[in-house]
């Protein structure tokens, strides 16, 4: 399949930038970290990004194939008509997939914020309680 270009793959590029901004690391490094079972949210985000990018690549591939099949210099025969219909169907499915992943992943990312780094200073030791004066009892 063709590699992503700047215009046709805007949704996956935007999602990738938002994931990188959230986690503060490049997407390639985050995908390697997502293999760890404890990082389920990270795994879901990178998995959704991969599915989104695949849908965008499939749209580009099917669109190019459709252009080849409908070239002005080419005569369309009975087999070509079926291929044209198939390409159009695949484009429609990939657009729906792309839009669904972009919407759901964008919504999840919209609800997340990058956590601030914890303080590196050790907590102050607790202040001991002031001794109370002993009350003496006399009988």
């Amino acid at each position: 399949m063709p590699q992503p270009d700047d215009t046709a793959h805007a949704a996956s590029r935007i999602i990738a930038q938002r994931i990188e901004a959230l986690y503060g690391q490049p997407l390639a490094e985050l995908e390697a970290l997502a293999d760890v079972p404890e990082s389920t949210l990270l795994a879901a985000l990178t998995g959704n990004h991969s599915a989104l990018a695949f849908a965008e690549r499939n749209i580009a591939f099917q669109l190019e194939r459709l252009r080849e099949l409908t070239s002005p210099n080419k005569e369309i025969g009975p087999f070509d008509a079926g291929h044209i219909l198939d390409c159009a169907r695949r484009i429609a499915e990939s657009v729906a997939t792309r839009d669904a992943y972009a919407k759901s992943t964008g919504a999840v990312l919209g609800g997340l914020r990058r956590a601030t780094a914890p303080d590196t200073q050790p907590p102050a030791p607790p202040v001991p309680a002031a001794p109370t004066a002993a009350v003496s009892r006399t009988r």
Side-chain angles (χ1 to χ4, degrees), residues 55 58-59 86-99:
N58 195 45
I59 292 167
D86 186 53
C87 282
R89 180 187 56 79
R90 289 174 190 239
I91 289 170
E93 289 173 355
S94 292
V95 166
T97 300
R98 178 201 60 197
D99 292 350

